[in-house]
Every structure is written in C-alpha cells, then in structure tokens.
Amino acid sequence: ILDGYLNNYEFDGAIRDESRIPYQVKKFDEPVRASKPYPSGEDDTDEDDSGGGRNLLITWLINDDTHQLSAVEELALIVLDDMMLGSSSSVLEKALMDSGLGDETFSDGIDRTLIQMVFQVGMKGIKDEEGVLQVEEVIMKTLFSLADDGFDGDDIKASLNSIEFALRDYSGGNEPKGIGLYTRVMNKWNYDIHPIEALAFEDTLSQLKDIVAETGSDIFQNLIKDYLLNNSHRTILDLYPDPNMEAEQLKEEKKHLADVQKRFKPQELQDVLDASKSLEKIQSADDPPDAVAAIPSLSLSDLDRNEVEFPIFIEEDVFGSDATLVSHIVPSSSGIAYIDFGFDISNIQYEDIPLLPFLQRMMMETGTKNLTDIELDRLIGMHTGGIGVDRIIETITPDGAIDRVVSSSTKLRTMLFIQGKCMADKARKMFPMMFDILTSTNLDSPKKATQILRETISAIESNIQSDGDDYATRRIMAKFSVPGFLGEQWSGSAQLAVVKDLLDSANNNWPAVVERLERMRQAIIGTSLEGVIINFSGDDVVLSTVKDPLKKFVTRQLSLLHKSVPDEGKGKLLNFKTVNHPWVLPAQESMKATMSVDEYEAILASTKVSYVGKGGSLFQLNEPVSGSMSVVSRYLQNGYLWDTIRVQMGAYGAMAYLYSTEGILIFMSYRDPNLATTLAAYDGAAPQLLEDASSTLSAQDSVDLTRAIIGAIGHHDGRAPSTAEIGWISLLRWLRNESPEMRQRYRDQIIETTAKDFDDFANRLTSWSPTICAVTSQSMLDEMNADADAPKLKTILSV
C-alpha cells in the first residue's frame, strides 16, 4: 500500500540539506525579563488565603551548536530534573512549596522533545510583584546551594533507579506503546539524529552509573553550573492578572473586524461571502464514492469474534487470613511484580467522603511515624518503580446477568488501593513501605496540608480552563447516578468548594481537620479482612519470588493490625450484591437537594473557547443497553458531530459518550469557539441519524455500516494493555461481577449491528430530555443569554 504512494519519490541530498533545522545560537548577554497581563476573573486579583494571581516562569535554553549534548549528559539532565522536581519532596520543588510564596509550582523541568533542550521552573498563585522576586530568589539560591553542596548519595540512587525503572517498564502511558516509541524516535529523527539513539539506553545508563560511582554528585553539580547558573540565555516571565483584558480584547477585535469590513468594496465583500458558502458546501458534502472505495479497509470477516479475556485466579482466605488474593499470571513481566492492596472504605462516614482525594495526598506526602517525607520518598525511589494511592467506585452486576442493564447504581463496591511495583526481589522492601503509608502516615502536618490544599485549588482552577470537557461531563453525570454524584464530589467542580472549605478549616481549626482524617483512616484500617484484596500481576517466576514476603506481610503485619483495632472500630463487610451501599441514601438525598436536571448550568473561566455539554438518560431503569448502541454513538461522534462541530464550526473536537451501566448519553465539544450554535447542532443529530438509517446504512452490504462496526470494535478493544493494566482491568471486571458470557454477548451485539439499531437510537434521541453544562467565558455566556431563543444557563462557579 505504502509503495503505491512513496515509490515515485527519490532521495535528493540537496533538499535534505535545505530541510535541516539549525541550532539557535545562545545570544543573551543577560536574562531577558518580561511582565505581561493575562485575562482573568476578578477573584484572581484577591489576596486571600488561597494566594494571588501572579505567575512566574523561568526558562533556560540548555544547548546550542557550540556544545551539543552527549547521550550521557542528556540522561544525567533527566536524572537531575527528577532529583530537583520529580516529587513533592524533591529539593527545588520542596523549597518552592515550603516558601509559602505561591499555590503551585511550574515543574515542567527538562523538555527534550526538540533539538535544543529547555529547562523550566516557576510558581503559580503568587501574591504580588514582591512575591515574584522572592520566588526567583528561592529558585536561584537553591540552585547555587546544590551546585556547591551537591546531592545526597541516596537521592542520586533513588532517582537513578526511578529513571531506569521507567525506561525498562515503558508501556506507552495513555497511548499505544508503538505510538509512544514512534514519538520518541521522531524527537531525534526529525533532526537527522539516528532513531536508535532515542530508544537505546543500556550503555548510556551504565556509563552514567560508572561516573556517579567514581565522582558522586560532581556530574550533576557541573550540569547546574554549566547549563543553569552560568547560562544567561534565559527568560524570566511574570504574568499578572487583568480582569478587564477579556472585555478589552473582545472590544478591540470587534473594532478591528469592523474596520476591515469597511475597507472592502461591495463586490470584494460578496466574494468573501461566496467563498465562505462554497467552503461550507465542500465541508458538508460526502466524499466521492470512488475516493472512499480507494481507501484500504477491513471487512467484518477480519474481526476477531471472541472477546479478549485475561487470566484471573481467586484465592479466598489466603494464608488463613480472610483476605483474598487475586492473581493475573502473564507469560513474562520482565522480573517486575505489580501489587495492589485494596481495602473496603464503605465504613467511612458519608460527610467525610469528599475528603478522600485530600487524604490520599496526605498519605503519600507527609512521611510516616518513623520516616520524614524526604526519607520515605527516597526509599520508594531506591527500591521500587513507584507507590501510589487510588480509589474506585464500581456498580455491581446482578448474578446471572447476560446483558448490560441500566441499574439504579445502589449496589456498589468502594475501595482504596495502595499500589506499587518493584523488581520481585525488592518486594520485601516495598511491602513495609506500603503498610506504613496506610497505617502511620503523619496526618497531623498542618503546614503540608495547607500546601496541598492551596496547590489543589490552583490545579482545579487551571484544569477547568484547559480540560473543561471533563468537568462539564462530571457535572452532567452527577445529576443522574450516585457514582456520578460521588465522582463529581471527588474530581469535579464540587471538589473546589470542598477544598476551599478545608483550607479555611486548616487555617482556623486544624484539630477538627486532623480528627476527620484520622477517623477516615481508622475506618479503612478497621475494615473486615474479608474485604481486603491483594491484587498481583506478573509471571510465574515473579509470583514464586514474591509469595514468601507476601505471606509474611499478610499473616503478620496485616492480621496484627486488624487485631489491634478495638471491636467498636471494626467494620463489617456487607454483601454489596444484595445490600444497598451505606452511602447511597444520603447521596440520593444530597442529589435531590442540590441537583436539578431542568436547571442548565455554566462554569465560568478565563478562556477564549468553550466546552459545551448536553446529556441525560437515553435508556430507562432496568432496560438493556445493547452493544450495538455503542456503534451508533461512535458513528455520531466520528460522523455528524465531527463534520458539523469540528469541521464546519471550528471546535477542536466533538464527542459522544455512552455510559451503558447508567444508560446516559452525553454530547461534548472540546475547545469550542461557539456555545449556542453548538447546542443547536446537537439537536440535529437525531434527524441526521434517521436519514442515514433509512438510506446509506440500510443499503445492501452498506460500507458505512461496516465501517461503523469496525470502528466501534477498534474502540472497544483499544490498545494492547501492559501487564499492570491487564491485572487492573481483570480485577475491576471481577469486582463488578461481570461474566465472560456478558462481555462476549456485548461484543456479538456490536458486530451484529443493523440499520434498525440506528433507527432505534435516533427515535430515543427525538424524545430525549437532556440537561446542559458548559465551561465558558462570561462574554460568551452573556451573548447566549441575550438570545431569547437560546437556553438559559445559570452560573454555578467562576474561576
């Protein structure tokens, strides 16, 4: 296939030379300073406990053609970056947060995606101009101190181990591993550097380890001196909030457009309008059938009819402890063990539930009874590939169910997991650390708590502007299901109010805050051992190596811990398949008191684009949701929504999310220059779907239908999961009580989708009663609310 496109091209060395990207020469004799405004809400200028609105970012250009970095220097800079900014206890990160001068750090550190590396660090939420200068002073003083005194040997070992683990355990993150590796390669190949240099690390790592063994911290101290302290080619950018900037820019833009229009002659203006209409016609037209037919594609016979199942072995009362061991054995995990210790959290009091994200960060960032936060972080880096804390809320499927059915989501499983990965022979080191994180975290740390809360406020406000689709989606989901409501309390816009209240309490009544945190921890520790799950992923050799230290951990530390909890503090594990979760009733009462499907909502942010959501129940309680419905929702996303909202109306993206367990459909736009017109476009989905169902989709051997099915299967299967992901996916399936038969039936329904399913989906849309939530700007909201025919949105939050 590729030869047909590429074999007519010939290599031309002259063109290759012309396409080379030259180095930018360092030419600043002294740092360049700039102070610039950014559009903000009035709250950003307030000088309250959550900090201020100024931001400082210092950026260094690291290398130029006078000194091209060696592979060892590149890797050493990555390790240096980790030692300075890799975690909350890293030297530069900690110095900035301990200063109390801002809310959150800019800790981008080293960027090596271009031919010339840059290093960036700074701070958000600085109170005033004097604070900006003080933050810069903290950064430079810390760098001078590190250049003079160097790093602790254990810190170097920890960062070296963390970087090595990341290189060996690379899984691609949120993208397919192949795409991730391809991106790495292109970061070098684009600049005529051999692609293998982007992937090979063994020799370079060995050389760096030898240098460190011989000279200790010297290489890192020299890097700081050469590329940061003695490098004047840097910018110091101070951004200050201007609450009038958005309105002024809008006014200036309207004036500019009016001036431009005045300069047009009548015929010139008509030519522009005609060209615009011509473009719209091209954008809305279907591709020619012969062009579509020329695109190579799969057929339904190419699809694997069998659902992918992962190995899972359940061992209840493991080692006589009442706990359950869930194992996922893979052919090879490269000597790495992935372990999750899960604890039932249903005994946490309902009013404390919104504090869970805060408790999770306190568990990881405040140290333990015997270790400071720096010491704990160092041990984690030296002996593991990372430890973290996660939480889940999953709806349980009834026994014997063969279809995905819309449930009331009252039968829930809620758990907190301490998650870690390490080389198998390091398990005996990792388990005690995970135990201490759970049981002896230093929760009585008011200064650290205040830092975390201020940082969280800053992060949420920033994320609402950049990832507004996530917040609008969560807000819509919160109106229709208990898990959605709780998810909004934990990760949505509601969490911002929770954290602001916590910050006020931390400043004025810290004992009450720590009492709540301790109460939550005791509820977790006191859970019945029957509710404890040990989730293991790895190969047979790893499991045999890990089993002995795991047995000692479970029979000694875990069992003794449970025995130490007073009887009145011990929780009972309910049968959540048959009993409503204790959080359900108070959550339903809160939803009734605070949520209204009929009330359309807006979250205001300083943004030039919007994130426009419209969603609600498409299926009724106890109604089955066929796999074919996922084909239709993907078809809408990749077809009508893409063509209309992305191509014709200029949004960066348009999505259709179908949540089968809740029976909810959500339309969502991403970085959208429109608001009211996008909401109106959503209303055109049903008519378009009805038209397609009666024409192209119902044709014999319909190409459109086949492609829709293949696309849905591709999305359903996703990329190849890593070992850790196999274990986690399989565990969640088991916790949800899903059967392989149900999953296979859902896959069969996808492959057997017909035009009738599209017609059914479209008819549901015609009687759909969705709610609305949009993240947008004040000016865009005012413009829409001034339109008598447009839906009216109520502002629930402004950031």
Side-chain angles (χ1 to χ4, degrees):
I1 294 172
L2 291 178
D3 281 347
Y5 292 95
L6 301 179
N7 62 9
N8 291 323
Y9 291 89
E10 296 179 357
F11 176 76
D12 187 331
I15 293 177
R16 186 178 181 86
D17 289 338
E18 291 173 7
S19 71
R20 281 197 170 90
I21 300 172
Y23 280 84
Q24 173 187 335
V25 179
K26 293 183 185 179
K27 57 185 179 182
F28 295 171
D29 295 327
E30 59 183 30
V32 174
R33 296 179 178 274
S35 184
K36 302 287 184 180
Y38 69 89
S40 68
E42 293 183 5
D43 291 345
D44 289 325
T45 60
D46 294 343
E47 297 180 2
D48 58 15
D49 287 335
S50 63
R54 297 186 86 104
N55 302 323
L56 172 72
L57 182 65
I58 306 178
T59 304
W60 283 262
L61 179 64
I62 297 298
N63 59 311
D64 63 10
D65 60 352
T66 63
H67 188 105
Q68 299 181 23
L69 295 171
S70 68
V72 172
E73 284 179 310
E74 275 200 37
L75 184 58
L77 280 166
I78 295 168
V79 175
L80 174 64
D81 181 24
D82 186 73
M83 288 192 289
M84 292 198 298
L85 296 168
S87 71
S88 62
S89 65
S90 296
V91 185
L92 186 50
E93 176 82 15
K94 185 173 176 61
L96 285 168
M97 292 307 299
D98 285 352
S99 73
L101 294 168
D103 296 334
E104 184 183 7
T105 60
F106 286 111
S107 51
D108 293 349
I110 286 289
D111 180 354
R112 58 193 184 112
T113 58
L114 303 176
I115 191 171
Q116 291 174 266
M117 297 172 73
V118 297
F119 179 81
Q120 294 184 307
V121 66
M123 206 164 199
K124 301 178 184 179
I126 305 170
K127 195 170 187 179
D128 50 31
E129 190 173 1
E130 181 182 353
V132 170
L133 296 174
Q134 290 173 331
V135 170
E136 182 184 354
E137 184 179 5
V138 169
I139 292 171
M140 299 310 295
K141 276 189 174 181
T142 303
L143 292 176
F144 274 110
S145 175
L146 291 172
D148 291 339
D149 302 330
F151 293 88
D152 183 274
D154 283 344
D155 285 335
I156 298 173
K157 289 179 183 177
S159 286
L160 270 172
N161 181 71
S162 295
I163 298 302
E164 180 178 1
F165 209 104
L167 290 169
R168 298 189 187 284
D169 189 42
Y170 180 71
S171 63
N174 294 325
E175 60 188 5
K177 185 175 182 178
I179 296 294
L181 293 174
Y182 174 78
T183 303
R184 278 191 184 183
V185 164
M186 295 311 295
N187 289 340
K188 296 293 185 184
W189 210 359
N190 277 336
Y191 306 105
D192 298 298
I193 300 171
H194 199 286
I196 292 299
E197 291 192 28
L199 304 177
F201 64 86
E202 290 284 2
D203 290 344
T204 305
L205 181 63
S206 178
Q207 290 176 50
L208 181 57
K209 286 181 176 180
D210 289 343
I211 292 171
V212 169
E214 184 177 343
T215 64
S217 181
D218 286 358
I219 185 173
F220 304 109
Q221 291 169 257
N222 291 332
L223 289 173
I224 293 174
K225 293 173 186 175
D226 294 342
Y227 295 116
L228 300 179
L229 295 178
N230 299 329
N231 180 4
S232 60
H233 197 101
R234 66 178 181 268
T235 58
I236 302 166
L237 178 62
D238 167 26
L239 293 174
Y240 60 88
D242 182 349
N244 300 315
M245 189 174 180
E246 181 187 349
E248 290 171 355
Q249 286 180 331
L250 186 62
K251 182 180 179 181
E252 183 179 333
E253 180 181 300
K254 288 182 177 179
K255 181 180 181 301
H256 174 71
L257 291 175
D259 290 342
V260 170
Q261 186 172 345
K262 288 177 183 177
R263 293 198 296 268
F264 276 92
K265 296 177 181 179
Q267 185 56 49
E268 290 175 331
L269 187 58
Q270 186 60 48
D271 289 344
V272 171
L273 294 174
D274 291 343
S276 176
K277 290 179 181 178
S278 177
L279 176 61
E280 288 181 9
K281 185 177 180 180
I282 293 171
Q283 290 174 329
S284 61
D286 292 332
D287 294 321
D290 55 338
V292 174
I295 300 174
S297 61
L298 299 173
S299 66
L300 294 183
S301 62
D302 294 316
L303 300 181
D304 189 344
R305 300 281 312 202
N306 297 317
E307 181 71 3
V308 176
E309 295 293 336
F310 303 119
I312 182 170
F313 304 94
I314 311 298
E315 187 177 351
E316 296 180 344
D317 192 24
V318 64
F319 311 127
S321 66
D322 286 337
T324 299
L325 175 63
V326 182
S327 301
H328 317 273
I329 309 301
V330 298
S332 173
S333 61
S334 302
I336 300 172
Y338 302 87
I339 305 285
D340 311 309
F341 290 110
F343 299 83
D344 176 70
I345 56 175
S346 62
N347 290 307
I348 292 178
Q349 296 182 22
Y350 177 76
E351 59 267 26
D352 291 334
I353 294 171
L355 274 66
L356 266 170
F358 176 51
L359 175 64
Q360 290 173 230
R361 287 200 59 181
M362 291 288 284
M363 291 172 72
M364 288 302 305
E365 298 181 30
T366 59
T368 66
K369 182 179 179 181
N370 299 315
L371 296 170
T372 66
D373 56 339
I374 295 175
E375 290 168 337
L376 176 61
D377 199 55
R378 183 183 295 156
L379 284 176
I380 291 173
M382 288 172 62
H383 300 296
T384 80
I387 296 176
V389 183
D390 198 5
R391 64 185 179 272
I392 65 161
I393 179 167
E394 296 290 339
T395 300
I396 299 175
T397 303
D399 285 335
I402 60 171
D403 278 313
R404 294 191 184 185
V405 174
V406 178
S407 76
S408 58
S409 296
T410 59
K411 310 297 188 291
L412 304 172
R413 195 71 191 269
T414 53
M415 301 191 74
L416 188 81
F417 282 90
I418 315 294
Q419 301 175 310
K421 57 184 178 181
C422 65
M423 302 307 294
D425 61 348
K426 293 284 189 177
R428 62 185 71 253
K429 296 274 191 181
M430 185 174 75
F431 292 160
M433 285 186 266
M434 298 172 81
F435 182 77
D436 286 345
I437 287 169
L438 172 68
T439 61
S440 65
T441 301
N442 185 18
L443 297 179
D444 193 4
S445 304
K447 183 177 180 180
K448 186 64 179 179
T450 301
Q451 287 179 7
I452 290 173
L453 292 168
R454 291 177 62 185
E455 183 180 342
T456 302
I457 291 170
S458 176
I460 293 175
E461 291 178 341
S462 177
N463 290 340
I464 285 175
Q465 295 181 51
S466 61
D467 301 306
D469 53 318
D470 290 340
Y471 288 85
T473 298
R474 293 190 188 106
R475 187 69 187 179
I476 292 172
M477 290 293 293
K479 296 185 176 187
F480 294 95
S481 75
V482 170
F485 180 78
L486 296 178
E488 160 76 352
Q489 299 296 307
W490 287 334
S491 306
S493 56
Q495 176 69 189
L496 184 59
V498 171
V499 177
K500 286 185 174 181
D501 288 344
L502 268 176
L503 180 60
D504 181 67
S505 297
N507 288 328
N508 298 297
N509 189 9
W510 172 249
V513 175
V514 76
E515 180 182 351
R516 293 180 73 183
L517 293 174
E518 190 58 53
R519 183 171 67 204
M520 294 171 70
R521 176 163 64 185
Q522 290 304 313
I524 298 169
I525 293 173
T527 187
S528 168
L529 285 181
E530 292 179 353
V532 174
I533 293 173
I534 304 153
N535 190 49
F536 166 84
S537 303
D539 56 46
D540 281 319
V541 175
V542 169
L543 178 58
S544 63
T545 305
V546 166
K547 204 136 192 181
D548 183 56
L550 181 61
K551 180 178 180 180
K552 291 178 180 178
F553 171 76
V554 171
T555 57
R556 295 179 186 178
Q557 289 177 290
L558 206 56
S559 294
L560 289 174
L561 172 67
H562 190 69
K563 291 177 182 178
S564 69
V565 177
D567 289 341
E568 61 272 18
K570 293 180 179 178
K572 294 181 179 179
L573 182 67
L574 302 175
N575 182 356
F576 294 114
K577 290 183 182 180
T578 58
V579 177
N580 285 353
H581 194 285
W583 297 349
V584 167
L585 182 58
Q588 289 174 335
E589 292 173 349
S590 297
M591 291 170 66
K592 186 176 181 180
T594 62
M595 296 285 178
S596 172
V597 174
D598 298 326
E599 189 171 83
Y600 302 156
E601 298 176 337
I603 300 172
L604 297 184
S606 302
T607 175
K608 292 185 177 181
V609 292
S610 296
Y611 305 84
V612 186
K614 192 174 207 177
S617 297
L618 196 66
F619 297 84
Q620 301 305 310
L621 185 64
N622 298 323
E623 193 174 10
V625 181
S626 169
S628 61
M629 297 296 99
S630 70
V631 179
V632 186
S633 65
R634 294 292 299 176
Y635 176 84
L636 275 175
Q637 173 171 309
N638 298 330
Y640 173 77
L641 295 180
W642 174 269
D643 292 339
T644 306
I645 294 170
R646 170 70 173 92
V647 176
Q648 297 177 33
M649 294 167 55
Y652 197 80
M655 290 75 72
Y657 301 126
L658 179 65
Y659 300 88
S660 56
T661 302
E662 294 86 358
I664 295 170
L665 174 71
I666 297 178
F667 291 151
M668 182 63 60
S669 68
Y670 181 74
R671 295 187 178 273
D672 192 342
N674 308 292
L675 182 55
T677 51
T678 295
L679 290 169
Y682 291 151
D683 295 337
Q688 184 63 56
L689 204 54
L690 284 169
E691 181 182 335
D692 291 352
S694 63
S695 56
T696 58
L697 293 168
S698 59
Q700 187 173 3
D701 300 324
S702 169
V703 173
D704 288 346
L705 179 59
T706 298
R707 286 186 173 156
I709 293 171
I710 292 170
I713 280 290
H715 180 261
H716 175 75
D717 289 343
R719 60 179 174 82
S722 65
T723 298
E725 290 167 336
I726 287 173
W728 190 247
I729 292 169
S730 188
L731 172 69
L732 295 183
R733 287 175 170 181
W734 176 70
L735 287 172
R736 289 193 294 262
N737 198 38
E738 286 182 358
S739 67
E741 293 75 20
M742 174 189 286
R743 291 191 287 273
Q744 183 60 52
R745 181 173 170 81
Y746 192 80
R747 184 183 193 85
D748 292 340
Q749 290 167 344
I750 292 176
I751 296 175
E752 294 164 5
T753 299
T754 67
K756 185 177 181 301
D757 297 309
F758 286 78
D759 191 73
D760 175 43
F761 197 104
N763 286 322
R764 290 175 183 275
L765 276 178
T766 58
S767 58
W768 192 35
S769 299
T771 191
I772 295 170
C773 182
V775 174
T776 189
S777 66
Q778 182 69 63
S779 59
M780 293 185 75
L781 180 64
D782 290 344
E783 183 179 346
M784 189 179 85
N785 283 342
D787 183 349
D789 297 325
K792 300 298 179 285
L793 272 60
K794 174 185 175 183
T795 300
I796 59 168
L797 176 67
S798 180
V799 298

